[in-house]
Amino acid sequence: MTTTQMPPANRLLELPFFRGLDGAALARLSAGVNEVSAGSDTVLYRRGEACRGLYIVVSGQVKLALETPQGGEKIVELVGPGGCLDESSIFLDRPHVLTAETLTDTQLVTVAKATVLAELEHTPEFTRNIVASLSHRLQHLIGALEDCMLRSGTERVIGYLLNRLPVDAAEGGDMVTLPAKKGIIASQLNLTHEHFSRILRDLVTSGLIEVDGRNVRLPDVGRLHARLNGVA
């Protein structure tokens, strides 16, 4: 993992997190910003380590996970470009609650904790961006909790596939590409790898999906919605 000083402040505008900020705010923030390049399977921080600032993904993918004493893990979230890692730890002044590890070669921007806290006093727009990020994460986690408590494994898988469809997906079918290995997706859905694979096979047998590696074709989106809602 390598860290370099961030280029000029206008580079920050390429990230959704900093859109809408004026030049003065960008200049102040850039003083505490660095770029980080991390190869696949790099641990950025572990649960229990002190939080030093914001980590914002520019490209690549990071998994946030809980680790078990036996060496296993439960993946809580996959974070892609534009996403932020565990910003709540900054404001609670507590250690990280999850372990962050890259799944692919990943570029990140880090913003020092002191810089973040100081800018909240200056720029309402930056504060709103932080609040929006925290709110989005809360809604995501509530949705994941609801799925685990109220939906079967099959329903969780169907819901996951449907949620990854483009907004303008045709009713007659579309293609979904899984963003990570099947074992990673299974953990995120609170399923074992074997259970996840079995559900995919059952859906293929039922004619509801077609699987080719990480590509999953949904030939009849309407039938999938009906299955998810208990109609069929």
Side-chain angles (χ1 to χ4, degrees):
M1 184 166 61
T2 59
T3 301
T4 58
Q5 185 64 38
M6 185 70 182
N10 59 8
R11 280 283 305 279
L12 292 176
L13 289 173
E14 299 173 9
L15 300 171
F17 213 81
F18 299 98
R19 287 175 187 162
L21 304 188
D22 61 26
L26 290 172
R28 287 191 297 268
L29 285 165
S30 64
V33 168
N34 290 299
E35 284 187 309
V36 175
S37 298
S40 179
D41 303 320
T42 298
V43 175
L44 302 173
Y45 55 78
R46 292 193 181 278
R47 175 184 172 94
E49 292 181 359
C51 178
R52 297 180 174 85
L54 287 178
Y55 289 74
I56 303 167
V57 180
V58 178
S59 64
Q61 191 174 57
V62 178
K63 67 177 179 181
L64 298 176
L66 292 167
E67 297 176 305
T68 69
Q70 295 75 30
E73 66 178 10
K74 168 64 178 74
I75 295 173
V76 176
E77 187 177 4
L78 300 180
V79 182
C84 190
L85 312 180
D86 192 19
E87 58 271 50
S88 63
S89 294
I90 291 180
F91 310 110
L92 295 175
D93 196 24
R94 294 179 180 175
H96 290 293
V97 296
L98 300 169
T99 294
E101 182 179 354
T102 61
L103 291 176
T104 63
D105 290 346
T106 301
Q107 297 288 125
L108 304 104
V109 162
T110 65
V111 190
K113 180 178 178 179
T115 301
V116 173
L117 295 177
E119 195 57 37
L120 294 177
E121 302 292 332
H122 289 285
T123 310
E125 186 65 32
F126 184 63
T127 303
R128 284 193 288 270
N129 289 347
I130 292 281
V131 171
S133 179
L134 287 167
S135 300
H136 177 79
R137 173 160 284 120
L138 177 61
Q139 287 193 340
H140 168 80
L141 293 176
I142 289 174
L145 179 62
E146 180 182 18
D147 283 348
C148 288
M149 295 180 66
L150 302 179
R151 286 182 169 178
S152 68
T154 298
E155 290 169 341
R156 271 176 265 162
V157 173
I158 292 175
Y160 179 84
L161 294 174
L162 291 173
N163 286 336
R164 296 197 65 81
L165 281 173
V167 176
D168 58 351
E171 187 68 20
D174 216 311
M175 185 73 72
V176 168
T177 299
L178 300 180
K181 295 178 180 178
K182 292 175 183 176
I184 299 289
I185 303 300
S187 179
Q188 192 179 7
L189 296 175
N190 200 31
L191 300 168
T192 65
H193 192 173
E194 294 76 13
H195 191 187
F196 181 64
S197 296
R198 186 165 64 252
I199 290 170
L200 290 180
R201 288 196 299 270
D202 290 344
L203 292 175
V204 168
T205 301
S206 300
L208 292 171
I209 65 172
E210 299 168 4
V211 179
D212 181 12
R214 289 192 187 180
N215 294 320
V216 182
R217 182 172 177 269
L218 315 183
D220 193 331
V221 174
R223 281 185 64 201
L224 278 175
H225 278 292
R227 177 73 175 269
L228 181 64
N229 296 322
V231 177

